[in-house]
């Protein structure tokens, strides 16, 4: 401790400050800085704080250290500084020791009163002598000479900087003395060295002894190493056993996962079989089970996807509209068919037909449950609100346009738009006509005692039928005059009425008389009484041609009568409970009926049942055809309305060509389709509008059409019987001919993949530049060409003729390889074989098929086939690669199609597609389906490549590309060209989305227990 004190004292003496300057920055900064600079120039070490001290009751560490290290405190005593807390703290802290303090009295700041207060009374107690200074000196920042002199005179000790220089001199002398002392020490060390050498000899002897001991230790160490090695080997064996145990555990885990996967597959297969078993009995349950089967495995099983596709097709449901568990009284299509209206007891809702998306809603209910709820353009709807008035509101927004107000004690019982939408008729104690846009009354028709029970307009807006509660008769009003022109004398209160579409008749039906009466509305004469129902009649309506009437009954039947004869011409017998509604389609070819048994039936007009729709969980109240007859909407007590597909044919597009169609091709963007017509035309049709957008006239029947890869060019050929046949290249965007040329009867053409050239094969192989019409390459040939095809990469083209196929270079026309083995003769019926050569999509392989009952697969550029496929039960007629180049599809003349693995030629799927020979087989664009076509039965089939199950059966043949690029349509030709919408070709994800929209319920607890074992 004494040494530490001495060292600290020495450090303080030589390295601390001479002077600590205490001041306030507010009015003493410049003065203090000038004083600091002057004292420093005189070789004094000074401390001056360059920042304002923080407010508070203590000093920071820097100031405290500087105070302790300073020998003298110089206090710049301005009045402000003497009042500052931190200046007082600096003074008080320094005054704790006996170190000298030099106060500078600025402008007599040390008053008697101040020297009596803390801490300044120390100045008085110690009788400190201060230096006086003027206020102007502080203001100007210039200390007076008296202050400088006073501080210098105050010091009676040596300046620290001088002391430092003396210290350096003393240190140098000390080092010199120490060096002399070290010299003598070195001399003494040499003497000591001799002693050390003697001691070293002694240590060497001891080292030899230690070495012998070390050798013994080495022997012992080797023994220990051997034992350690053995221990390591044992540990390694244990590690191997542990690794083996882990591998066995991993293998067991894999086996467990495999077992679990097999269990899931088995569960999915069982669910798929149960779903398949329910297809006809309960299509909605089939969808629910198929949906579960698809979800069981991470990748849906093909069998599960197939049954989901079949159950959706069988169910016919397009969309389910659900709100809450209350009865839906009616569902109606808007006049445009783009929207549907559903009506419950307290709310009307508008939905988008295509998606089932809710568009708008309006509180209230309808007083008319037929099409009269909508205005003619479908924009306005009439419903009764909670106050009993009639709201006219916008379908798109639900916004009220006008309100038709009833009389105070009146109860409105009916409201219906006129066919032209200009009027709304309401029924209550009076029948009134209103302007729907303003809500103002147009006309009042004085009615008999009793509220109106039914109203309907004639199609020409001239007449209004009205019936009344508790009165058996009905009236025909002339709207222009506001007078009754005829009265219809019925024997019972009228339950419903309707004008015929041609306006010549009006029908009424009454209960319990159980008949339908047809009247002349202008004369009131009874035309016909239609009998045959055995229970209450629930609906009656005319056929579109006004020649027939259909009525439904609680007896479970619907009947159609001929008006002129009164005879029943058809009976619909298919429901197990009362029939609640029956009506004709707009084209009069179909009939729909609904029933309390929860089903809806679609019939031919003759009474043949087409299909029965299952899916509602309660009685079905009403049904209506969409304006295009493609769909039906039903409403049910289960709280839903459903939109059903009417017929698959309704979703198809028939192109109204004037003759047979020989060939068809889709544009790459899916917007257009080109047809090769018998009547000397190639037509381009817009698929959406089904209208011709371009028409290219030829000199003979058009035999082929082909779009270029970019869709801008169309290649066509014709068969001119009175002259040479020709080929044509058309700009389909500008609707003009680019170039043309003559073609031998057996000549062939193909467009290059880069859209720049066309290959013509007749007496020569010629490639013509489309832009210029000039020859890019020509090579003379002697063989009759049967088929030509470009490779997808455009580097090669292949031709077939005689007994060979040949591969050529597209750039210069040189022969690359000759493919021998097939025969390509057409001595037999040409429809029996599809003689061709095709490239795989990656251009790596070529497949050739001919009349020799074989197909051969070649690697592009080689002359030896890597696979030879022979017809199994008949003649092999066609072959095609899958888009992913993994599969090959072949067809035989016994109607069988087979799908093989490209690498192994193993048959993966075998399909009995047709009863007779298949002349064409081709894969869909995504490879999930194949299409087969048979000239003999005139049909095309679509099949799953994974399971071989049937997806679609179509009338017509494949000529050209069967599938649209997006897979949504399948093109077939014959007497007409038809595009079939293939919703069954959707992906599994898309099928699930449709399934989720269609189902109205989930599996019940009992069904989950039965089918899911949960």
């Amino acid at each position: 401790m004494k040494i530490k004190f001495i060292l600290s004292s020495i450090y303080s003496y030589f390295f601390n400050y001479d002077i600590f300057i205490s001041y306030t920055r507010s009015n003493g900064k410049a003065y203090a800085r000038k004083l600091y600079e002057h004292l420093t120039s005189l070789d004094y070490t000074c401390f001056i704080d360059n920042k304002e001290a923080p407010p508070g009751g203590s000093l920071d560490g820097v100031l405290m250290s500087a105070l302790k290290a300073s020998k003298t405190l110089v206090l710049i005593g301005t009045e402000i500084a003497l009042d500052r807390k931190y200046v007082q703290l600096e003074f008080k802290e320094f005054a704790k020791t006996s170190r000298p303090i030099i106060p500078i009295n600025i402008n007599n700041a040390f008053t008697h009163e101040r020297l009596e207060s803390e801490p300044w009374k120390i100045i008085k107690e110690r009788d400190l002598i201060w230096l006086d200074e003027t206020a102007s000196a502080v203001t100007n920042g210039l200390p007076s000479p008296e202050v400088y002199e006073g501080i210098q005179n105050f010091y009676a000790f040596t300046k620290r900087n001088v002391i430092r220089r003396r210290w350096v001199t003393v240190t140098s002398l000390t080092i010199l003395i120490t060096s002399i002392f070290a010299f003598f020490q070195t001399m003494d060390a040499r003497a000591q060295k001799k002693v050390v050498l003697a001691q070293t000899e002694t240590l060497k002897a001891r080292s030899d002894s230690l070495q012998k001991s070390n050798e013994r230790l080495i022997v012992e160490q080797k023994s220990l190493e051997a034992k350690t090695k053995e221990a390591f080997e044992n540990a390694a064996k244990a590690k191997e056993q542990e690794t083996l145990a882990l591998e066995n555990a991993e293998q067991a885990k894999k086996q467990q996962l495999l077992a679990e996967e097999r269990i899931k597959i088995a569960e999915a297969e069982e669910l798929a079989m149960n779903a398949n078993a329910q297809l006809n009995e309960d299509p909605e349950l089939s969808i629910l089970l198929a949906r579960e089967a698809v979800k069981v495995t991470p990748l849906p099983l093909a069998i599960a996807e197939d049954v989901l596709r079949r159950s959706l097709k069988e169910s016919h449901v397009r969309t389910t509209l659900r709100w809450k568990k209350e009865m839906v009284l009616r569902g109606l299509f808007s006049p445009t068919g783009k929207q549907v209206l559903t009506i419950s007891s307290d709310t009307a809702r508008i939905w988008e037909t295509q998606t089932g998306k809710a568009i708008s809603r309006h509180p209230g209910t309808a007083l008319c449950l037929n099409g009269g709820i909508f205005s003619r353009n479908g924009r306005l709807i009439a419903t009764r609100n909670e106050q009993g008035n009639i709201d006219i509101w916008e379908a798109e927004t639900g916004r009220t346009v006008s309100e038709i107000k009833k009389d105070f004690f009146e109860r409105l019982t009916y409201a219906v738009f006129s066919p032209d939408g200009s009027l709304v008729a309401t029924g209550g104690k009076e029948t009134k006509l209103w302007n729907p846009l303003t809500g103002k009354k147009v006309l009042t028709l004085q009615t008999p005692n009793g509220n109106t029970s039914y109203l309907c307009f004639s199609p020409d807006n001239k007449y209004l039928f009205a019936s009344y509660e508790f009165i058996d008769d009905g009236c025909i009003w002339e709207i222009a005059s506001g007078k009754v022109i005829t009265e219809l004398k019925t024997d019972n209160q009228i339950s419903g009425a309707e004008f015929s579409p041609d306006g010549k008749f009006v029908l009424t039906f009454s209960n319990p008389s159980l008949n339908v009466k047809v009247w002349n509305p202008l004369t009131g004469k009874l035309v016909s009484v239609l009998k045959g129902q055995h229970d209450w009649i629930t609906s009656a309506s005319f056929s579109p041609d006004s020649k027939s009437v259909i009525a439904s009954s609680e007896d479970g039947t619907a009947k159609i009568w001929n008006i002129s004869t009164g005879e029943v011409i058809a009976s619909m017998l298919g429901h197990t409970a009362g029939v609640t509604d029956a009506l004709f389609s707009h084209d009069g070819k179909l009939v729909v009926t609904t029933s309390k048994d929860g089903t809806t039936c679609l019939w031919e007009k003759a009474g043949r049942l087409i299909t029965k729709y299952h899916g509602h969980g309660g009685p079905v109240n009403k049904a209506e055809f969409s304006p295009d007859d493609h769909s039906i909407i039903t409403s049910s007590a289960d709280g839903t309305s459903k939109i059903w597909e009417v017929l698959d044919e309704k979703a198809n597009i028939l192109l109204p060509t004037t003759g047979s169609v020989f060939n068809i091709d889709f544009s790459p963007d899916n917007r257009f389709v080109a047809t090769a017509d018998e009547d000397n035309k190639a037509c381009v049709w817009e698929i959406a509008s089904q209208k011709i957008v371009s028409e290219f006239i030829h000199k003979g029947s058009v035999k082929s059409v082909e779009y270029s890869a970019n869709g801008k060019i169309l290649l066509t050929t014709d068969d001119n019987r009175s002259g040479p046949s020709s080929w044509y290249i058309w700009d389909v965007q500008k609707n003009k001919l680019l170039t043309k040329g003559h073609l031998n009867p057996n000549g062939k053409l193909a467009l290059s993949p880069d859209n720049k050239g066309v290959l013509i094969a007749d007496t020569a192989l010629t490639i013509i530049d489309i832009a210029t019409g000039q020859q890019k390459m020509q090579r003379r040939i002697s063989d009759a060409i049967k088929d030509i095809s470009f490779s997808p990469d455009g580097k090669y083209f292949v031709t077939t003729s005689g007994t060979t196929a040949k591969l050529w270079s597209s750039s210069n026309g040189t022969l690359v390889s000759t493919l021998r083995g097939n025969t390509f003769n057409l001595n037999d019926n040409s429809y029996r074989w599809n003689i061709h050569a095709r490239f795989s999509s990656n251009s790596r392989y070529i497949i050739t098929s001919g009349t020799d009952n074989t197909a051969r697969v070649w690697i592009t550029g080689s002359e030896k086939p890597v696979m030879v496929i022979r017809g199994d039960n008949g003649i092999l007629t066609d072959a095609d690669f899958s888009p992913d180049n993994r599969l090959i599809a072949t067809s035989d003349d016994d109607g069988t199609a087979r799908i093989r693995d490209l690498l192994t030629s193993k048959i993966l799927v075998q399909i009995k597609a047709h009863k007779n020979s298949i002349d064409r087989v081709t894969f869909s664009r995504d490879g999930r389906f194949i299409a087969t076509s048979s000239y003999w039965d005139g049909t095309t089939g679509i099949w799953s490549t994974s399971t071989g199950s049937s997806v679609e059966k179509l009338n017509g043949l494949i000529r050209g590309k069967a599938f649209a690029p997006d897979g949504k349509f399948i093109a077939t030709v014959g007497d007409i060209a038809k595009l079939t919408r293939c919703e069954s070709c959707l992906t599994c994800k898309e099928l699930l989305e449709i399934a989720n929209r269609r189902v109205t319920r989930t599996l019940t607890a009992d069904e989950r227990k039965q089918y899911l074992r949960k």
Side-chain angles (χ1 to χ4, degrees):
M1 291 298 292
K2 184 177 291 186
I3 294 172
K4 183 176 180 181
F5 175 76
I6 293 171
L7 291 174
S8 176
S9 300
I10 294 171
Y11 179 84
S12 298
Y13 184 77
F14 289 108
F15 296 102
N16 287 353
Y17 299 103
D18 290 323
I19 300 170
F20 184 102
I21 300 173
S22 179
Y23 71 102
T24 178
R25 292 170 63 91
S26 60
N27 66 346
K29 179 180 178 182
Y31 185 91
R33 170 56 61 183
K34 196 67 177 179
L35 181 62
Y36 170 83
E37 292 172 354
H38 180 77
L39 294 175
T40 302
S41 67
L42 296 176
D43 223 5
Y44 292 102
T45 59
C46 300
F47 177 85
I48 182 171
D49 184 19
N50 290 321
K51 63 180 179 179
E52 186 73 45
S58 61
L59 301 172
D60 63 19
V62 176
L63 291 174
M64 288 296 293
S65 298
L67 281 169
K68 291 179 180 179
S70 300
K71 294 299 181 180
T72 305
L73 175 69
V74 173
L75 173 63
I76 301 174
T78 64
E79 289 188 7
I80 294 174
L82 297 177
D83 290 333
R84 288 296 171 91
K85 187 70 176 179
Y86 74 89
V87 175
Q88 295 176 4
L89 290 172
E90 289 172 354
F91 181 84
K92 188 175 181 180
E93 186 67 29
F94 200 87
K96 290 179 181 180
T97 66
S98 58
R99 289 174 291 174
I101 298 174
I102 304 174
I104 300 176
N105 183 13
I106 307 297
N107 197 26
N108 297 318
F110 295 127
T111 63
H112 177 74
E113 290 79 5
R114 193 179 297 278
L115 293 176
E116 293 295 331
S117 63
E118 288 287 348
W120 311 120
K121 64 181 182 179
I122 295 173
I123 298 174
K124 183 178 180 181
E125 291 173 353
R126 293 189 183 179
D127 198 17
L128 297 178
I129 299 173
W130 61 70
L131 302 175
D132 290 318
E133 183 64 280
T134 64
S136 60
V138 175
T139 302
N140 297 327
L142 297 172
S144 63
E146 290 80 4
V147 170
Y148 290 146
E149 185 180 355
I151 292 172
Q152 285 179 283
N153 292 336
F154 186 83
Y155 274 88
F157 48 83
T158 307
K159 299 173 186 173
R160 294 295 177 256
N161 289 337
V162 175
I163 293 173
R164 286 193 184 104
R165 286 193 290 271
R166 292 176 179 174
W167 170 249
V168 170
T169 304
V170 171
T171 301
S172 299
L173 292 173
T174 302
I175 290 171
L176 178 60
I177 294 169
T178 302
S179 299
I180 295 170
F181 178 75
F183 172 77
F184 288 106
Q185 288 289 336
T186 301
M187 297 300 292
D188 185 57
R190 290 179 180 176
Q192 292 290 334
K193 183 176 180 182
K194 294 180 180 180
V195 176
V196 170
L197 288 173
Q199 291 175 347
T200 300
E201 290 296 329
T202 304
L203 289 174
K204 184 177 179 182
R206 292 181 181 177
S207 176
D208 292 340
S209 175
L210 289 173
Q211 184 177 359
K212 292 179 180 179
S213 298
N214 189 43
E215 289 174 354
R216 288 196 302 271
L217 290 174
I218 290 172
V219 173
E220 292 176 359
Q221 183 180 355
K222 287 182 178 180
S223 174
L224 181 61
E225 287 176 353
K227 293 179 180 179
T228 302
K229 182 179 179 181
E230 183 180 359
F232 273 115
E233 289 175 352
N234 292 335
K237 290 179 180 179
K239 185 69 175 177
E240 289 177 2
Q241 292 175 351
E242 181 184 2
T243 303
L244 182 61
L246 290 173
E247 290 176 354
N248 291 336
E250 186 66 25
Q251 189 65 27
K253 186 177 180 180
K254 289 180 180 178
Q255 292 292 334
Q256 181 182 357
L257 292 175
L258 182 61
E260 291 175 356
E261 182 180 355
R262 287 173 177 170
I263 290 172
K264 288 184 178 296
I265 291 173
E267 290 176 1
E269 290 175 342
E270 183 179 5
L271 282 168
M273 287 188 292
N274 287 326
N276 193 57
Q278 294 292 333
L279 272 175
N280 297 323
E281 184 68 24
D282 189 346
E284 186 165 33
L285 177 58
S286 177
I287 293 176
L288 292 171
L289 294 176
R291 189 172 65 171
E292 293 295 331
V294 167
K295 293 178 180 178
V296 167
T297 53
L299 293 176
L301 293 183
I303 186 174
E305 183 177 339
D306 276 351
V307 76
L308 177 60
R309 183 178 292 108
R310 291 179 60 198
S311 62
L312 288 173
K313 186 176 180 181
E314 188 67 25
S315 74
H316 300 282
V317 177
R318 291 291 183 191
T319 308
T320 298
L321 309 176
R322 57 173 71 86
W323 178 245
K324 58 184 179 180
K325 280 290 183 180
E326 63 177 21
M327 180 183 294
V328 180
L329 301 175
R330 188 68 192 266
L332 294 167
F333 284 100
S334 67
T336 64
K338 294 181 179 180
Q339 298 170 341
V340 293
L341 168 69
T342 60
I343 306 163
S344 63
S345 61
D346 62 358
T347 309
R349 292 178 177 81
I350 295 292
W351 313 76
E352 191 176 82
T353 303
Q354 189 67 25
T355 64
K357 179 183 177 182
I359 298 175
S360 65
R361 63 184 293 272
H362 194 85
T365 189
L367 297 179
C368 166
L369 295 181
N370 58 32
I373 298 174
F374 276 103
S375 63
R376 182 178 181 180
N377 58 13
R379 289 182 54 247
L380 301 179
I381 297 170
T383 55
R384 183 172 65 184
N385 59 31
E386 292 181 352
Q387 292 75 35
N389 299 323
I390 302 300
D391 282 342
I392 307 298
W393 52 280
E394 289 182 341
E396 195 68 32
T397 64
R399 183 181 67 87
T400 300
V401 175
S402 66
E403 184 179 17
I404 297 172
K405 295 187 177 181
K406 65 181 181 65
D407 293 339
F408 185 74
F409 292 107
E410 186 178 20
R411 179 174 65 87
L412 295 180
T413 56
Y414 219 82
V416 61
F417 274 98
S418 62
D420 65 0
S422 63
L423 297 173
V424 170
T426 62
K429 67 180 182 180
E430 293 179 323
T431 301
K432 299 176 183 178
L433 301 180
W434 309 79
N435 184 321
L437 298 179
T438 64
K440 293 183 178 180
K441 184 170 61 177
V442 177
L443 182 65
T444 299
L445 306 177
Q446 298 297 327
T447 61
N449 293 330
N451 286 326
T452 307
S453 63
Y454 205 88
L455 293 173
C456 63
F457 283 93
S458 63
D460 58 6
N461 302 285
K462 292 181 179 180
Y463 305 103
L464 178 70
F465 170 87
S467 61
Y468 309 98
E469 294 176 353
F470 313 117
I471 298 176
D472 294 343
D473 298 340
C475 298
I476 304 293
W477 296 82
E478 185 180 50
I479 295 174
S481 65
K483 296 180 180 180
V484 174
I485 59 170
T486 55
E487 292 187 7
L488 310 180
K489 301 293 184 179
T490 62
D491 51 1
N492 291 103
Q493 183 177 330
I494 295 173
S495 301
E498 180 182 295
F499 276 95
S500 61
D502 62 7
K504 294 179 180 181
F505 304 106
V506 64
L507 69 77
T508 62
F509 64 91
S510 305
N511 292 306
S513 61
L514 308 183
N515 59 40
V516 179
K517 294 182 178 180
V518 180
W519 311 80
N520 184 317
L522 301 182
T523 64
K525 181 182 177 181
L526 183 62
V527 177
S528 182
V529 178
L530 311 177
K531 299 179 180 180
Q533 307 285 20
H534 303 292
D535 205 339
W536 282 53
I537 297 172
T538 54
S539 71
S541 60
F542 284 98
S543 62
D545 61 5
S546 303
K547 295 180 180 180
S548 306
V549 168
I550 187 171
S552 59
S553 171
E554 287 284 358
D555 65 3
T557 68
K559 295 182 184 296
I560 300 176
W561 291 267
N562 182 297
I563 294 174
S564 60
T565 65
E567 294 180 354
V568 175
I569 58 177
S571 294
M572 285 70 183
L573 308 174
H575 292 289
T576 58
V579 179
T580 55
D581 196 18
L583 72 159
F584 287 97
S585 60
H586 295 87
D587 61 10
K589 296 179 181 180
L590 303 174
V591 168
V592 64
T593 59
T594 60
S595 173
K596 291 181 177 179
D597 64 7
T599 66
T600 301
C601 289
L602 184 68
W603 314 79
E604 289 181 353
K605 182 180 178 180
R608 186 182 73 85
L609 179 65
I610 298 173
T611 189
K612 181 179 283 190
Y613 303 133
H614 299 268
H616 278 300
V620 185
N621 304 319
K622 294 287 183 181
E624 185 186 59
F625 283 95
S626 61
D628 59 5
D629 288 333
H630 288 178
S631 305
I632 293 171
I633 186 170
T634 58
S635 51
S636 170
D638 67 1
T640 67
S641 280
K642 291 180 182 291
I643 300 174
W644 313 77
E645 68 176 7
V646 173
L647 285 172
D648 291 343
E649 290 295 323
K650 294 292 184 181
N652 300 334
I653 297 175
L654 302 178
L655 303 178
T657 56
T658 55
S660 296
V661 179
F662 297 122
N663 197 260
I664 193 166
D665 193 17
F666 289 96
S667 65
D669 61 3
N670 299 287
R671 294 178 56 207
F672 305 98
V673 65
T675 57
D677 298 354
E678 182 184 29
D679 59 351
N680 302 358
K681 291 186 298 185
C683 298
V684 176
W685 306 76
E686 185 179 46
I687 295 176
S689 66
Q690 303 176 31
K691 294 181 179 179
I692 295 176
V693 294
S694 297
E695 191 174 73
F696 305 114
I697 305 301
H698 295 64
K699 293 182 179 180
S701 297
V702 182
K703 293 299 182 182
S704 67
V705 289
E706 182 183 358
Y707 270 103
S708 62
N710 61 9
K712 296 180 180 180
I713 294 169
L714 190 69
L715 173 65
T716 64
T717 62
D718 66 10
D719 182 10
N720 186 3
R721 296 182 180 179
S722 62
S725 299
S726 301
W727 55 267
Y728 305 80
I729 298 177
W730 310 87
D731 185 323
V732 292
Q733 293 181 333
K734 297 180 180 179
N735 199 24
K736 70 175 185 179
L737 179 67
L738 295 178
T739 185
K740 66 177 181 177
H742 293 304
L743 188 69
N744 288 335
N746 293 325
K748 306 294 180 183
L749 289 93
L751 281 170
S752 63
D754 62 4
N755 310 297
K756 295 181 178 179
V758 60
L759 171 63
I760 304 170
D762 45 21
T763 59
L765 297 175
T766 306
I767 295 181
I768 294 178
D769 187 287
I770 292 175
T772 63
Q774 301 299 314
Q775 290 184 4
K776 295 173 62 177
M777 181 278 294
Q778 187 175 61
R779 182 182 180 87
R780 291 288 176 181
I781 56 173
S782 58
D783 297 331
I785 301 299
K786 305 300 182 183
D787 188 40
I788 59 174
S789 177
F790 272 103
S791 62
D793 61 11
K795 294 180 179 179
Y796 307 100
F797 63 88
V798 64
T799 62
T800 60
S801 61
T803 59
T804 62
K806 294 181 179 180
L807 183 69
W808 310 82
S809 170
S810 300
S811 59
N812 53 26
T814 58
L815 181 65
V816 177
S817 59
T818 301
L819 315 179
R820 293 181 172 85
N822 292 103
T823 57
F824 305 98
N825 297 319
L826 279 178
N827 297 326
D828 204 342
N829 191 325
S830 62
Y831 290 108
R832 194 170 182 178
W833 295 280
N834 187 21
I835 300 172
H836 67 206
R838 292 179 183 169
F839 284 91
S840 61
S841 62
N842 60 4
S843 303
R844 176 173 171 77
Y845 298 102
I846 301 170
I847 189 166
T848 58
S849 60
T851 58
D852 59 340
N853 194 29
T854 66
R856 286 172 166 78
V857 180
W858 318 75
I859 293 177
T860 302
S862 73
E863 296 188 341
K864 183 178 180 180
V866 294
M867 185 187 304
V868 178
I869 303 170
R870 302 187 182 278
D872 292 289
N873 299 319
I875 297 174
L876 192 145
T877 57
D878 196 15
D880 191 23
F881 287 108
S882 64
D884 61 4
N885 309 300
R886 295 190 308 108
L887 305 174
I888 296 174
T890 61
S891 60
D892 289 359
D893 70 346
D894 66 349
T896 303
R898 294 174 177 85
I899 299 174
R900 290 175 165 85
D901 185 284
L902 175 59
L903 298 180
T904 65
S905 77
K906 179 182 177 181
I907 297 176
L908 304 177
V909 176
Q910 183 166 300
I911 304 166
K912 182 60 178 175
H914 300 268
K915 293 181 179 179
N916 299 304
S917 178
I918 301 172
D919 61 273
R920 184 66 61 91
V921 62
T922 183
F923 279 93
S924 62
R925 305 294 177 98
D926 59 8
R928 294 188 302 125
F929 307 99
I930 62 167
T932 61
S933 176
S934 172
Y935 171 79
W936 304 100
D937 62 17
T939 65
T940 293
I942 309 299
W943 316 87
S944 168
T945 55
S946 55
T947 65
S949 62
S950 175
V951 176
E952 293 283 351
K953 194 76 170 180
L954 311 172
N955 291 322
L957 302 175
I958 301 172
R959 294 293 181 265
K961 296 182 178 67
F963 294 90
D966 61 3
K968 291 182 178 179
F969 285 99
I970 301 166
T972 54
V973 300
D975 292 336
I976 59 172
K978 183 168 69 173
L979 306 182
T980 301
R981 189 181 299 277
C982 188
E983 290 196 355
S984 299
C985 301
L986 299 176
T987 65
C988 189
K989 181 180 178 181
E990 291 169 329
L991 293 173
L992 276 175
E993 290 174 355
I994 294 174
N996 293 335
R997 290 201 306 268
R998 289 192 184 181
V999 294
T1000 61
R1001 65 181 184 89
T1002 58
L1003 291 171
T1004 65
D1006 290 340
E1007 288 170 341
R1008 292 180 67 83
K1009 185 176 180 181
Q1010 178 181 354
Y1011 297 111
L1012 304 182
R1013 297 182 178 87
K1014 294 182 180 179

